[in-house]
Amino acid sequence: MHNPPEARLTIFGDKSFTKAPTKLCKKLATFTISGMVCGLLLLTGCSDDDSVSDSATPPAKTDLSVFAGCYTVNYETPAQIKISKQEGNWVMQMKESASANRLWDDPEPLEVLDSTHIPKFFSIDPDNVDAVIARPDRFLVMAHVKPVYANIDPLLDSEYLSYIYKGANTIYKVKCDEINTNLLNNPHANIVIDNVNDGSQ
């Protein structure tokens, strides 16, 4: 004898409406957990990328070693200025006369200037300068011109610019020597170095 249609419907209903919701809940739970894990991985990945990006671009430190050496305002004269690093600090010294019984005077401290100061002393695009060093009183300011630019500018015959007291001009890096120079009796000490800005007006 066949079961009535209602009985079959009841049995089918028992299987569908008791087990199907359980499977659906498991699938939803799995999907939700997977989504949360992916989200956390994405957030972690972004955070790591940001930290790597930040640490990969530290502020550039100016290389002052390009200034180490001796200089003269006239290429044919002995060295008159020496810049060196002493006890961790950059200093400048002026050549002494023979009567001083020493070759160089006492070291004077130097400090780094950023590119915003360049127009105050030199009429050159700051983008063409990679380092500037100066005495705190600004009696001496020196700039190093990028070699690429110095090689193509016909007005420059040196990679170094100097601002001494009230004038700016190129200065020449020469070999440090042991010759005393009396700057008071040296005719080159009286050379007036015109400010480059005055010449452009």
Side-chain angles (χ1 to χ4, degrees), residues 26-42:
K26 288 182 178 179
K27 289 182 178 180
L28 289 174
T30 302
F31 178 79
T32 302
I33 293 172
S34 299
M36 292 174 64
V37 171
C38 290
L40 290 174
L41 289 175
L42 287 172

Side-chain angles (χ1 to χ4, degrees), residues 50-61:
D50 290 341
S51 61
V52 170
S53 176
D54 292 340
S55 60
T57 56
K61 187 175 181 179

Side-chain angles (χ1 to χ4, degrees), residues 136-178:
D137 59 7
R138 304 299 185 262
F139 180 82
L140 171 73
V141 181
M142 286 186 61
H144 180 251
V145 180
K146 295 178 180 179
V148 174
Y149 180 76
N151 290 334
I152 63 174
D153 190 332
L155 298 178
L156 292 176
D157 56 355
S158 171
E159 293 180 9
Y160 297 89
L161 299 176
S162 66
Y163 178 92
I164 302 175
Y165 188 49
K166 292 184 179 181
N169 206 336
T170 52
I171 192 170
Y172 305 94
K173 193 171 188 177
V174 295
K175 182 180 179 180
C176 294
D177 56 69
E178 303 296 322

Side-chain angles (χ1 to χ4, degrees), residues 10 27 48 63 87 89 112 117 119 131 154 161 169 183 193 195:
T10 301
K27 289 182 178 180
D48 291 342
D63 180 16
E87 299 181 353
N89 299 311
V112 181
H117 292 82
L161 299 176
N169 206 336
L183 297 180
I193 305 175
N195 192 317

Side-chain angles (χ1 to χ4, degrees), residues 125-140:
D125 188 335
D127 290 339
N128 296 323
V129 175
D130 56 16
V132 183
I133 198 168
R135 282 175 41 150
D137 59 7
R138 304 299 185 262
F139 180 82
L140 171 73

